[in-house]
Amino acid sequence: MNIVLAAGVLLIMLSLAFQKNKKIQPYWGFLIVFIIMGFQEGVQGDFMGYKESFQIMARGGVYDSVTSENDYVWLFLTKLFSSFMPFWMFVILLAGFECGVLYKVGNKYGSKEYGWVGPVLFFFTFYMMLIQMKAMRQGLATEIVVLAYYLSDKKKGFWWSIALMALAMFVHHSTLAAVPFIALQLVVSRKKDWDKEVKRSNFVMKDFFPLLMVGAYLFVYYLKASFLGDWLSQLAILMGDDVQLVGYLEKEQRFLDQGVSSLIILYDGVMVFLCSWFMQRTDRRYRVLAIASIIGCFLDMLLFGMGSLPRIAMFYIVFNILTYPKLVEVVSHKYGKTVALVLIVFLVGYAVKTSLPWITGTDGDQFGTYRFVFWQ
């Protein structure tokens, strides 16, 4: 039995069954996400590298096969916890923190009506749960960024957010990519007249802004097809990703054969349009979140197949768990529940389509070999 797939189907079925139950928090689905992330075993790739490093440090060694020497916080956490607990407990602890942050932020700021879509998208979207199960450092850094966002508009949250961003950068150095977004959130959350300025600009841009954004997206795609793709591949190699890049490019070729690459371009283009439309029909918080989702779409398209570089998009794509359910809610109120349901099927269907080969596959670092840690 494929455990990950079975858990995903169960999550969808229970989400549909509980969606109208007001007694259940809309982002409850992160409980199932936690079970899959926290009790994982048998998945190859970076996860096994972290396990090996943890066990070597537990024996007093200093070798760490998958961590940059500058990621001091991760090295500290590994050294600290390896001194008194086994690796499987460390994984549960990390998953508990990460899912706890997402659950808290989702229930605080997410859609009350369609929030259940958020955990479903997190489960099936490749650069959310699946990649975080392998890229444990970057997963932890991503959720610290989400926590920095959560605290950004609190009374004393400015300095807490900055401190958390600094912490995240020493968990994984790629956190630097998320600094512009958190900086924007810190500015906007303290700029009381930003809503008025946006509304004034909407009189001029309202009918054209989504089309302009799609035009910009297609232009960037043209640049990638022309020369940026080769340049980014060389950049990935210069960053020491030459061995891993070969495997990623082979997987990308299989996706190309299945037409998934074209599907990614189409899907991201549609979401750029919808998020741009959504920006003009919501409040300041969701305008900033929509910007994060738009950036995630650009990065997803631009960095696809470029070794580990696409992981940079994780810091933006994770906010889709807030943006997309709220987008569905706005569509529901404006065009009716039937149209909203079509949008949900589009969002979830795409996520399942692009992740299913990884969930069911048994080769290399795919998830068909997943088992619970207590099923030895």
Side-chain angles (χ1 to χ4, degrees):
M1 180 180 67
N2 188 299
I3 297 174
V4 178
L5 181 60
V9 172
L10 179 65
L11 174 59
I12 293 175
M13 293 175 62
L14 292 179
S15 295
L16 291 172
F18 295 156
Q19 62 175 312
K20 295 182 179 180
N21 192 328
K22 303 299 182 183
K23 296 180 180 180
I24 298 177
Q25 294 285 359
Y27 282 75
W28 70 269
F30 278 110
L31 174 61
I32 293 180
V33 173
F34 164 70
I35 292 172
I36 294 299
M37 290 184 67
F39 296 91
Q40 66 165 315
E41 185 56 88
V43 177
Q44 300 299 314
D46 287 356
F47 175 80
M48 299 306 292
Y50 287 120
K51 182 178 181 179
E52 177 187 4
S53 298
F54 190 93
Q55 292 172 341
I56 290 174
M57 289 187 176
R59 296 192 295 266
V62 295
Y63 172 72
D64 183 60
S65 62
V66 290
T67 302
S68 167
E69 63 181 8
N70 296 320
D71 296 334
Y72 301 111
V73 172
W74 179 264
L75 289 170
F76 171 76
L77 291 174
T78 305
K79 187 65 176 178
L80 173 65
F81 288 105
S82 65
S83 65
F84 64 89
M85 68 169 55
F87 181 70
W88 64 267
M89 290 184 65
F90 180 62
V91 174
I92 291 174
L93 189 65
L94 285 180
F97 170 78
E98 293 166 7
C99 293
V101 168
L102 297 172
Y103 174 83
K104 179 72 174 179
V105 175
N107 288 321
K108 176 69 174 180
Y109 297 124
S111 168
K112 304 304 180 186
E113 189 175 353
Y114 291 98
W116 58 271
V117 176
V120 173
L121 291 177
F122 186 87
F123 190 101
F124 285 103
T125 301
F126 181 73
Y127 285 109
M128 294 194 199
M129 185 189 79
L130 295 179
I131 197 65
Q132 288 193 24
M133 289 170 64
K134 295 176 175 293
M136 295 173 63
R137 276 184 304 145
Q138 205 159 3
L140 177 59
T142 299
E143 267 67 83
I144 293 176
V145 169
V146 175
L147 185 58
Y149 166 82
Y150 174 74
L151 296 174
S152 61
D153 61 353
K154 307 295 182 183
K155 187 174 181 180
K156 297 181 179 180
F158 183 88
W159 295 111
W160 277 110
S161 293
I162 292 177
L164 285 170
M165 290 300 294
L167 182 73
M169 278 191 276
F170 287 109
V171 172
H172 198 286
H173 52 277
S174 64
T175 305
L176 185 64
V179 169
F181 169 69
I182 296 299
L184 175 64
Q185 169 62 16
L186 287 171
V187 171
V188 170
S189 63
R190 285 157 177 77
K191 191 174 177 59
K192 296 181 179 180
D193 58 347
W194 193 60
D195 280 338
K196 294 180 180 179
E197 293 176 5
V198 172
K199 287 179 180 178
R200 283 197 297 268
S201 67
N202 280 350
F203 287 112
V204 180
M205 300 289 292
K206 186 172 183 179
D207 295 331
F208 300 102
F209 180 66
L211 294 176
L212 287 173
M213 290 303 299
V214 172
Y217 171 84
L218 293 175
F219 178 69
V220 173
Y221 173 66
Y222 168 78
L223 293 179
K224 177 187 178 180
S226 300
F227 67 90
L228 275 181
D230 292 336
W231 184 84
L232 289 169
S233 296
Q234 293 301 315
L235 177 62
I237 294 173
L238 290 174
M239 292 174 65
D241 205 25
D242 51 328
V243 176
Q244 189 175 13
L245 179 61
V246 174
Y248 274 87
L249 291 177
E250 288 176 352
K251 291 182 177 68
E252 182 192 32
Q253 186 58 51
R254 292 205 299 270
F255 282 168
L256 288 170
D257 294 340
Q258 298 170 15
V260 175
S261 181
S262 299
L263 183 61
I264 289 174
I265 305 306
L266 176 61
Y267 173 83
D268 285 334
V270 171
M271 294 317 300
V272 166
F273 179 88
L274 290 176
C275 288
S276 301
W277 174 87
F278 171 65
M279 281 181 65
Q280 300 166 316
R281 292 161 175 84
T282 189
D283 59 24
R284 69 169 65 193
R285 175 173 297 281
Y286 279 101
R287 288 193 183 105
V288 176
L289 289 170
I291 290 172
S293 294
I294 290 171
I295 293 173
C297 290
F298 273 76
L299 291 175
D300 186 38
M301 171 270 294
L302 185 61
L303 301 179
F304 174 70
M306 302 298 167
S308 293
L309 285 180
R311 294 184 182 184
I312 293 173
M314 289 169 59
F315 295 104
Y316 292 91
I317 291 175
V318 69
F319 290 101
N320 291 353
I321 68 171
L322 300 175
T323 308
Y324 289 1
K326 193 67 176 182
L327 168 63
V328 172
E329 182 181 303
V330 172
V331 168
S332 176
H333 293 169
K334 191 172 180 63
Y335 298 108
K337 293 186 179 296
T338 301
V339 178
L341 178 60
V342 171
L343 179 56
I344 291 172
V345 171
F346 173 71
L347 293 171
V348 177
Y350 170 80
V352 172
K353 165 67 176 176
T354 52
S355 64
L356 200 58
W358 295 89
I359 291 175
T360 59
T362 57
D363 296 333
D365 56 355
Q366 295 174 319
F367 291 85
T369 57
Y370 178 101
R371 68 178 186 272
F372 289 122
V373 68
F374 42 80
W375 287 1
Q376 298 296 338

